[in-house]
């Protein structure tokens, strides 16, 4: 029974990871009537969105199976895959379920992408989310507070619930619970890598980007319980390897699986 349950959890996560059309997001919107706002998953305060009844949807560009045609008309071919594939997904209708997109200050290219998005999708909520460079609370702290207040007000204008301090505290608690589970999964993978294949953990993490935080947390908790109690996953004589690369570009899932099948943790 546990093997079937584990397979079902991983299969669902893999399906969410592969769904360019964001079917789970459309279902959530139909069920709740809420806003869904895409974001690139660095430096974005998802807790504020969640506290105001908005579904944060993490975007990491397209996979290696996405052919980029229209995207190359907006960026030079040597620009990284993320902005070119994100433009492709926007123009081919894959991101139509989103009511807007937040573009954090990752790099100059993403700053340009936010401007392109405003021109291409003028009816959508689009915001470039800048981050402070000065960490003095009186300078950078005041700047960041204003950024977050402006973001919150903009969401309210679009139909989100108004800001509420208690709702924000509750959201922070929900996200902290999820972060603890992710740390627990990484700790288990570090100590017993045969229990948590990277290929499985990767699709779990990617799937959580399109789910409400409480659903993602429940998925992580179920997976952690199932793999921890699965005695059929035994240690193998495999080498531990560490991969390094671009901090944003995502590796092909097939590459991760190939490395594991070739005898690597």
């Amino acid at each position: 029974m546990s093997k079937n349950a584990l397979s079902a959890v991983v299969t669902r996560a893999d399906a969410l990871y592969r769904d360019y059309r964001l079917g789970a997001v459309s279902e959530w919107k139909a069920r709740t009537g809420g806003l869904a706002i895409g974001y690139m998953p660095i430096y974005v305060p998802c807790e504020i969105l969640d506290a105001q009844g908005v579904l944060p949807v993490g975007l990491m560009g397209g996979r290696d199976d996405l052919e980029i045609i229209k995207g190359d008309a907006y960026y030079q071919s040597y620009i990284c895959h993320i902005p070119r594939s994100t433009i492709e997904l926007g123009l081919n209708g894959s991101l139509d379920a989103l009511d807007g997109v937040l573009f954090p200050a990752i790099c100059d290219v993403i700053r340009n992408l936010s401007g392109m998005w405003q021109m291409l999708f003028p009816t959508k909520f689009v915001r470039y989310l800048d981050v402070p460079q000065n960490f003095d609370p009186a300078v950078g702290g005041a700047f960041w507070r204003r950024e977050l207040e402006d973001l919150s007000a903009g969401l309210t204008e679009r139909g989100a619930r108004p800001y509420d301090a208690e709702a924000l505290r509750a959201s922070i608690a929900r996200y902290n619970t999820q972060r603890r589970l992710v740390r627990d999964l990484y700790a288990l993978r570090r100590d017993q890598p045969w229990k948590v294949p990277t290929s499985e953990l990767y699709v779990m993490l990617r799937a959580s980007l399109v789910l409400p935080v409480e659903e993602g947390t429940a998925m992580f908790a179920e997976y952690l319980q199932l793999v921890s109690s699965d005695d059929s996953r035994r240690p193998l004589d495999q080498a531990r390897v560490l991969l390094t690369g671009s901090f944003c570009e995502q590796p092909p899932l097939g590459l991760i699986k190939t490395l594991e099948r070739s005898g690597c943790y």
Side-chain angles (χ1 to χ4, degrees):
M1 177 65 72
S2 62
K3 283 187 178 180
N4 292 337
L6 178 56
S7 176
V9 172
V10 175
T11 298
R12 178 182 180 235
D14 187 75
L16 290 168
Y17 157 70
R18 295 181 186 279
D19 183 12
Y20 279 135
R21 297 280 170 175
L22 302 177
V25 176
S26 297
E27 292 171 7
W28 179 89
K29 290 182 65 177
R31 186 171 70 249
T32 66
L35 297 174
I37 301 293
Y39 69 96
M40 296 193 161
I42 300 176
Y43 309 139
V44 169
C46 293
E47 294 87 342
I48 288 180
L49 278 67
D50 177 63
Q52 294 187 229
V54 177
L55 177 64
V57 180
L59 304 176
M60 304 191 81
R63 301 186 306 274
D64 56 306
D65 60 349
L66 177 69
E67 185 178 9
I68 299 177
I69 301 173
K70 297 177 181 179
D72 280 343
Y74 290 83
Y75 281 110
Q76 304 93 324
S77 59
Y78 58 81
I79 294 295
C80 80
H81 189 258
I82 293 177
R84 294 188 296 113
S85 61
T86 301
I87 283 279
E88 190 74 29
L89 291 171
L91 292 175
N92 70 19
S94 294
L95 307 182
D96 285 354
L98 300 179
D99 298 290
V101 181
L102 302 180
F103 297 93
I106 303 173
C107 64
D108 289 340
V109 173
I110 299 304
R111 183 189 295 271
N112 295 338
L113 182 58
S114 68
M116 292 181 187
W117 217 262
Q118 288 177 327
M119 293 187 291
L120 290 169
F121 308 102
T123 64
K124 301 285 189 177
F125 179 77
V126 181
R127 185 178 179 87
Y128 180 76
L129 192 64
D130 214 343
V131 293
Q133 303 301 310
N134 185 317
F135 295 99
D136 182 342
V139 181
F143 170 85
W144 184 232
R145 183 185 182 92
R146 286 194 298 271
E147 282 286 304
L148 298 184
E149 288 173 342
D150 288 346
L151 171 61
S152 175
L155 292 171
T156 303
E157 290 175 3
R158 286 283 176 146
R161 293 197 300 259
Y163 166 75
D164 178 79
E166 287 303 318
L168 180 58
R169 292 188 185 96
S171 180
I172 290 171
R174 287 193 293 272
Y175 273 92
N176 283 343
T177 297
Q178 185 175 101
R179 292 181 183 110
R180 281 192 294 271
L181 282 168
V182 171
R183 286 196 294 270
D184 290 344
L185 281 168
Y186 269 91
L188 180 61
R189 188 179 70 149
R190 179 194 63 220
D191 298 335
Q192 302 179 63
W194 53 91
K195 291 276 191 180
V196 186
T198 304
S199 54
E200 289 185 1
L201 181 57
Y202 181 77
V203 296
M204 297 288 293
L205 293 168
R206 289 293 299 270
S208 71
L209 295 179
V210 302
L211 295 174
V213 60
E214 58 272 14
E215 289 188 28
T217 298
M219 180 182 66
F220 287 135
E222 182 180 10
Y223 178 77
L224 180 60
Q225 187 274 323
L226 289 169
V227 294
S228 297
S229 60
D230 188 353
D231 294 330
S232 67
R233 296 190 169 189
R234 298 182 180 278
L236 298 173
D237 185 19
Q238 299 195 162
R240 292 175 182 255
V241 298
L242 174 66
L243 301 182
T244 62
S246 173
F247 74 104
C248 283
E249 288 278 18
Q250 298 301 294
L253 183 58
L255 173 62
I256 296 174
K257 291 181 177 180
T258 298
L259 287 167
E260 292 185 322
R261 290 167 180 164
S262 69
C264 296
Y265 285 132

